Amino acid sequence: MKDFKNKTAVITGAANGIGLELAREASKRGMNVVMSDIAEKDLEKAFDEIKKINENVIKVITDVTVYEDMEKLAKISTEKFGSVDLFFNNAGVVVPGPIWEIPNNDIDYIMKSNVYSIAYGLKVFIPLMTKQNTPAHIINTASVAGLLSSPGMPTYHMTKFANVGLSESVNYQLQAAGSKIKMSVFCPGFIQTDLHHCDERRPERFRIDENNPYYSSQTYKDGLERAEQVIVTGIPIEGIGKKVFEAIENEKFYILTHPQYEPVIGLRVKNILENTNPDISIFKK
Ligand SMILES: NC(=O)c1ccc[n+]([C@@H]2O[C@H](COP(=O)([O-])OP(=O)(O)OC[C@H]3O[C@@H](n4cnc5c(N)ncnc54)[C@H](O)[C@@H]3O)[C@@H](O)[C@H]2O)c1
């Protein structure tokens, strides 16, 4: 897609970080924008910002872990603007901590937020876009954590690898069907957003149980600290929206923003092909 003017972009997780940045860029390009998020106050604030530069913007409270919410988002978007041309399957969260220590609640929370949400988004928006029968594009926000592994945040890697696998497979299916829907998987490294505060915006059913000793443990605190440290030292958010839109214009499937991780991706593939065991020493350099 090259011409975005008067077309419609639907964005999940639009109240903060990457989603908000995408709303800014879509607005600059003359699009109708649907901003959706679970965090009501944050969404209100983000909406007020975008409203100043784009009168064709609406906000929809959506919990992407709930399939019916995704259906409602699609319905409201098409009722308001007639079509959905870009869908940013973007909302996501992070859970620190070793797999053998975190509560099952955290596993359910990150799987629902980062994997089920992406599947729900595809399930709802692909039939809608197919019916429209006009050029459309879906962008799944994964992470470079879906292309390489590290000792930090294993459940995050689990969900982002799932995202990349799902995106690649569905993209093949769309191609095989001769679909007008194009697809991209966005795989950035660390970017300065509000991701490390995601616990404050957990859906009610995944709320932290203050009585669970894990959440007052040093392991949990260290994990949060590490998450904060990598996010606040990430690259600035400015320009990320432009980069993603340029990739859409050029129909690029993989969207990467951090060239410094490319050798680590290469090493992973090399290890697989040469039957070499992964070695922790690469993270100690
Ligand atoms: N910031 C990074 O370094 C980075 C790197 C790679 C990938 N990502 C991915 O980018 C995406 C956006 O994250 P971000 O960094 O902008 O974080 P962010 O926390 O700044 O923004 C994410 C938004 O998603 C919303 N959200 C969370 N759970 C939701 C739910 N159940 N329903 C609806 N909205 C929900 C939050 O309220 C928040 O507004 C995520 O998928 C994240 O994994 C981020």
Side-chain angles (χ1 to χ4, degrees), residues 15 20 37 50 82 85 100 157 173 260:
L20 174 54
D37 206 284
I50 299 299
D85 307 289
W100 58 87
H157 284 291
Q173 286 184 327
Q260 65 268 40

Side-chain angles (χ1 to χ4, degrees), residues 3 19-20 26 35 43 67 89 130 133 150 239 265:
D3 187 15
L20 174 54
M35 300 175 72
L43 184 59
Y67 182 72
N89 219 355
T130 303
N133 200 27
S150 73
I265 299 169

Side-chain angles (χ1 to χ4, degrees), residues 26-271:
S27 298
K28 279 186 207 156
R29 290 170 183 256
M31 298 192 79
N32 309 316
V33 175
V34 181
M35 300 175 72
S36 71
D37 206 284
I38 194 173
E40 211 168 332
K41 278 196 188 129
D42 293 14
L43 184 59
E44 188 71 47
K45 190 163 167 252
F47 174 79
D48 287 347
E49 178 196 318
I50 299 299
K51 189 84 194 157
K52 287 185 191 136
I53 56 164
N54 184 359
E55 59 184 26
N56 297 315
V57 58
I58 60 167
K59 57 178 161 51
V60 183
I61 296 290
T62 309
D63 178 352
V64 295
T65 69
V66 177
Y67 182 72
E68 290 73 20
D69 271 27
M70 199 65 88
E71 287 187 308
K72 192 186 76 184
L73 174 62
K75 188 167 180 283
I76 293 173
S77 303
T78 44
E79 275 171 6
K80 175 70 185 172
F81 294 122
S83 67
V84 177
D85 307 289
L86 291 188
F87 174 55
F88 292 96
N89 219 355
N90 169 72
V93 302
V94 68
V95 165
I99 192 75
W100 58 87
E101 284 191 50
I102 60 173
N104 287 347
N105 179 46
D106 279 11
I107 299 174
D108 295 344
Y109 163 58
I110 196 165
M111 284 298 290
K112 276 282 184 184
S113 305
N114 290 8
V115 181
Y116 281 65
S117 62
I118 300 298
Y120 292 165
L122 297 178
K123 198 175 158 191
V124 167
F125 283 89
I126 288 177
L128 183 158
M129 288 172 160
T130 303
K131 212 164 148 202
Q132 286 172 186
N133 200 27
T134 51
H137 202 121
I138 297 176
I139 303 88
N140 294 329
T141 304
S143 166
V144 78
L147 301 172
L148 58 83
S149 302
S150 73
M153 302 177 198
T155 56
Y156 192 70
H157 284 291
M158 164 177 80
T159 62
K160 296 302 184 176
F161 267 76
N163 182 323
V164 171
L166 180 63
S167 303
E168 288 176 347
S169 180
V170 173
N171 181 50
Y172 282 134
Q173 286 184 327
L174 291 172
Q175 284 180 30
S179 173
K180 289 182 179 162
I181 307 169
K182 303 291 176 205
M183 193 137 157
S184 300
V185 62
F186 181 33
C187 299
F190 298 118
I191 302 175
Q192 290 166 26
T193 66
D194 209 41
L195 191 60
H196 51 297
H197 290 136
C198 63
D199 274 354
E200 295 164 19
R201 302 185 285 264
R202 283 191 185 213
E204 205 48 50
R205 69 191 191 289
F206 299 120
R207 281 255 173 258
I208 282 174
D209 174 7
E210 305 292 348
N211 296 320
N212 185 329
Y214 172 74
Y215 294 111
S216 44
S217 69
Q218 198 54 44
T219 306
Y220 177 66
K221 284 178 199 154
D222 289 348
L224 283 186
E225 226 171 79
R226 185 181 135 67
E228 172 163 4
Q229 197 249 332
V230 294
I231 294 297
V232 300
T233 57
I235 62 169
I237 190 80
E238 291 76 22
I240 294 296
K242 187 164 178 275
K243 176 123 197 166
V244 172
F245 269 78
E246 283 169 359
I248 298 168
E249 282 174 323
N250 295 312
E251 295 186 358
K252 293 288 176 203
F253 179 76
Y254 297 105
I255 312 176
L256 275 73
T257 50
H258 289 60
Q260 65 268 40
Y261 294 119
E262 285 166 18
V264 189
I265 299 169
L267 182 61
R268 176 173 179 271
V269 174
K270 191 167 172 276
N271 283 342

